[in-house]
Amino acid sequence: MKPNTMAGKPSMNQSDRRAIIHVDMDAFYAAVECLDDPALRGKPVIVGGLGRRGVVATASYEARAHGVHSALPMSRARQLCPQAVFIRPRLPRYREKSAEVFAVFNEFTPLVEGLSLDEAFLDVSGSLKLFGSQQEIGRQIKARIKRETGLTASVGMASNKFLAKLASDVQKPDGLVWVDPEQVQAFLDPMPVTRLWGIGKKTAPRLKALGILTIGQLRRTDPSVLRTALGNRCGHFLRLSRGEDDRDVTPGRPDKSISHEVTFDQNLQERDDLLAELQRQAEAVARRLRKKGLMARTVVVKIRDSDFHTVTRSSTMRACSNSTQTLYRMARALFLNWRAVHRSTPVRLLGMGVTGIEQSGSGHRAGDLAENPAEQAIDRVLDSINRRYGDAGVVHGQTLRRKKN
Ligand code: DCP
Ligand code: MG
């Protein structure tokens, strides 16, 4: 990499100079099936539950050409692509291949944060002297994955997690994309605002009403105008739109706990605003659990007030869950308990997460246990829409729900 100064604004630490790589395997389950049965190669292959209420876990790119994608009901997939080969998931085999992929990662750096069986962030800042440039490392990782496992990966390389993850996606499948630190703005500006984590069903239309469709347009908008649409998270989105993201690569974290939190630009006091944020976080946490085929038993809420007092409250359920509404109801009760004794205390930071994480027996179908089937169906539909149109594109209608109650 050229020794250069960053195009973007300097941030609080030296995060801009880090070398972060995001790797995501292509059509992972389907690719493993094609590897193990060469007769499947080049054909539409659909992996998922084959029962009456089964859903698609993934589809080969040949099947995607017919509109088949993850989380689609299997009955619909059969209509769209009847000629496909339909296969029940073999999770133990995918775990085996996943371990081979992660073994490659570990040859390049100990700083590997696995997000799911087929996806990880790597911080290779400390590996540059040994292996050459970040681009050289990305190329080598991709080549070694192909050689060791017979599978293709898409690799994104950048100075932080946010940019690296976008980069791995832009040329999928078999992609290899480096975001030049001098070209961050050119890379981000044409992308739709929904690529910014947290821009969803409620915020995207508000931005559209202001004529803001792309990240570039958002970045160039006067913050005081932007605040009318984005409220308290305005600063967060502006930082992302400039390509700034200080999050560290945290090895080994995800399977012990999954959480989300946000520090507000200005302290929040309104009960409904706080609950809406909590709902958003429950949505993100539950979706991540479902994507990884996991369930959790304990819900944790974290609250920091305007005096910097931080409390965490947790509650453990009798059964595990990965349902958005179940996790939200738990988090809501914990938060309202706190609020009952802190009536008008302004909140500076709010977060929710889960611990006590277990594999869900069915792999990727939510709710082995006593969950409400209607809520499971909603989760499935939202997962499917969000997977097609970008994360956090659609969320549960907190406002509607409130009125109904
Ligand atoms: N998966 C699942 N159910 C989902 C989403 C994913 O069972 N709703 C499983 C099957 C996927 C694997 O997780 O193969 C990895 O998920 P990805 O989102 O990375 O999707 P793919 O790897 O299949 O495709 P690609 O990354 O090429 O888009
Ligand atoms: Mg993948």
Side-chain angles (χ1 to χ4, degrees), residues 4 95 172 359:
N4 49 24
R95 283 200 197 99
K172 229 176 195 318
Q359 289 284 333

Side-chain angles (χ1 to χ4, degrees), residues 24-28 118 172:
D24 189 311
M25 303 300 292
D26 302 320
F28 185 52
D118 89 321
K172 229 176 195 318

Side-chain angles (χ1 to χ4, degrees), residues 113-115 161 248 250-259 288:
E113 178 180 335
L115 301 175
K161 284 177 156 184
D248 285 324
T250 339
R253 177 181 54 87
D255 282 354
K256 293 195 198 107
S257 71
I258 296 176
S259 64
R288 167 143 286 169

